[in-house]
Amino acid sequence: MLRRPRRNRNHPVMRSLIRETHVSTNDLVFPLFLMEGYNQKSAIAAMPGIYRLTTDLILKEIEYCMSIGIRSFDIFPVVDDAHKDAQATKSYQEDFFYLRALREIKVKFPDAHIITDIAMDPYSSDGHDGLVSGGTILNDATLEILGKMALAQAATGIDMIGPSDMMDGRVGYLRKLLDKNGYQDVGIMSYTAKYASAFYGPFRDALTSTPKFGDKKTYQMDPANRKEALLEAQLDYKEGADVLMVKPALAYLDIISDLRDNFPVPIAAYNVSGEYAMIKAASQKGWIDGFGAMLETLTSIKRAGADIIFTYFAKEFAEGQKG
Ligand code: PBG
């Protein structure tokens, strides 16, 4: 045999010389859950190791993460039911704890890269990403609310907004609005191919944002569709998105690969709550090697073509690199 592929696998150094994919802390964004109050942390049942944190504790968490090499954070608000309404009014009220915390984070850690979430669901009494009327989601009326949200977030000094709502035309609408108001340096991390997925369950529990009726299938994509991701990507690209995201990640590696091959902008993938929960649960039962499964998962997402990976494993990965 002239060709013996095993020869290149014999020596560990040779294996590392020819390794094609390397995941590093530079690739990772750590999603954080921010709640109102002081000095409190509350566990999320299906996400072992991940907590809802009050502003003071999130500041400490960011400081620690920065010290181990995690420098990009995506911050989600946990909103009390009493503050929710049909119009998601709190999302753009300047003195609301989420916006105050963002300001504090950027003042205290100007070097941290902060991404915010644009969608109505954390603040909506209907638990939907858009405005609800008579059981349907109103696309264009939602844009106006998302616009107010984006301007209020941009005013805090954050670096990128992440529209996760899947309304049509929102990237272009938000880009124009940001530019008109002097925020041309605020980027758009667009949730471009976001699928109606069963893997968001633990996240919705964390935010108590489960839809009050129906599901999200009239705005999030059908998991069966591949071509449609290209259409969404074309639109977001033309409308000025700086980064195109695929979400979830693991069941959608083909979509990550398609977008990477077809668009000259960075591609992000969101390794979502349910994907985290599966590995954690099996590992707690002793059924799989959790650390190994994490590394393999992150590697597969990067290998498929993601430049940026949003993952609840970020801290654990960084700690593993150190040790
Ligand atoms: C909603 C939003 C969701 C996630 C991020 N933003 C859930 C949903 O669409 O219902 C899920 C993230 C995760 O599961 O980790 N705007």
Side-chain angles (χ1 to χ4, degrees):
M1 273 188 270
L2 282 176
R3 278 280 156 226
R4 286 180 180 270
R6 287 188 56 204
R7 257 198 305 268
N8 281 346
R9 296 179 202 138
N10 279 336
H11 198 293
V13 175
M14 184 58 182
R15 290 200 295 273
S16 80
L17 282 171
I18 63 171
R19 188 161 297 132
E20 296 173 40
T21 308
H22 299 268
V23 178
S24 103
T25 52
N26 292 329
D27 304 320
L28 308 182
V29 177
F30 192 22
L32 296 172
F33 297 110
L34 174 75
M35 67 175 182
E36 201 167 7
Y38 182 73
N39 195 25
Q40 275 173 42
K41 82 191 233 183
S42 111
I44 300 160
M47 301 177 76
I50 301 294
Y51 298 84
R52 307 174 188 88
L53 301 171
T54 52
T55 305
D56 54 316
L57 296 188
I58 249 185
L59 288 168
K60 283 194 188 137
E61 180 76 343
I62 291 175
E63 182 168 32
Y64 170 69
C65 288
M66 300 267 287
S67 79
I68 57 170
I70 302 291
R71 297 168 304 165
S72 184
F73 304 89
D74 186 11
I75 309 205
F76 293 95
V78 180
V79 178
D80 206 273
D81 278 347
H83 289 317
K84 297 184 183 181
D85 62 25
Q87 287 83 27
T89 314
K90 289 290 181 191
S91 65
Y92 50 88
Q93 236 168 48
E94 245 178 69
D95 60 344
F96 197 51
F97 78 96
Y98 179 64
L99 295 168
R100 273 193 285 127
L102 294 176
R103 237 171 267 129
E104 247 182 282
I105 291 167
K106 278 310 290 189
V107 167
K108 205 148 183 211
F109 303 108
D111 296 340
H113 179 254
I114 304 296
I115 305 167
T116 54
D117 190 61
I118 301 274
M120 287 177 64
D121 56 327
Y123 319 88
S124 156
S125 44
D126 294 305
H128 276 286
D129 293 24
L131 189 63
V132 176
S133 172
T136 61
I137 312 296
L138 301 181
N139 192 89
D140 300 9
T142 299
L143 298 185
E144 289 176 32
I145 296 170
L146 301 180
K148 290 184 200 171
M149 206 182 293
L151 289 181
Q153 292 177 1
T156 67
I158 54 94
D159 301 279
M160 291 191 103
I161 57 167
S164 68
D165 55 285
M166 287 302 278
M167 294 302 117
D168 291 336
R170 92 276 207 214
V171 171
Y173 181 90
L174 295 172
R175 185 67 273 158
K176 279 193 198 106
L177 195 64
L178 288 172
D179 288 359
K180 211 168 70 192
N181 286 274
Y183 298 118
Q184 57 283 335
D185 290 335
V186 172
I188 299 184
M189 166 81 63
S190 179
Y191 289 57
T192 292
K194 178 172 177 180
Y195 287 86
S197 170
F199 291 102
Y200 304 149
F203 175 97
R204 293 180 188 169
D205 288 345
L207 261 63
T208 58
S209 65
T210 304
K212 293 287 165 12
F213 70 89
D215 51 42
K216 299 191 174 185
K217 290 180 183 165
T218 69
Y219 45 107
Q220 298 180 350
M221 290 171 55
D222 183 338
N225 293 353
R226 185 166 178 175
K227 267 191 300 196
E228 198 179 343
L230 292 175
L231 171 61
E232 286 286 359
Q234 271 166 18
L235 291 168
D236 283 6
Y237 178 71
K238 272 197 224 138
E239 290 174 30
D242 298 288
V243 179
L244 304 177
M245 189 201 285
V246 176
K247 176 181 179 184
L250 262 197
Y252 301 88
L253 296 176
D254 53 338
I255 311 299
I256 296 173
S257 165
D258 283 354
L259 295 202
R260 173 240 178 73
D261 287 347
N262 288 290
F263 294 91
V265 286
I267 304 301
Y270 201 133
N271 178 214
V272 300
S273 57
E275 299 174 307
Y276 177 81
M278 286 194 298
I279 291 181
K280 283 290 171 192
S283 142
Q284 283 185 348
K285 281 184 176 279
W287 290 350
I288 58 169
D289 160 15
F291 197 80
M294 166 189 76
L295 292 180
E296 194 174 325
T297 295
L298 296 177
T299 301
S300 75
I301 297 169
K302 180 120 190 240
R303 192 190 63 229
D307 303 285
I308 304 169
I309 306 172
F310 286 62
T311 180
Y312 302 99
F313 285 116
K315 189 163 91 171
E316 203 172 324
F317 176 87
E319 283 169 341
Q321 296 300 102
K322 257 197 340 179

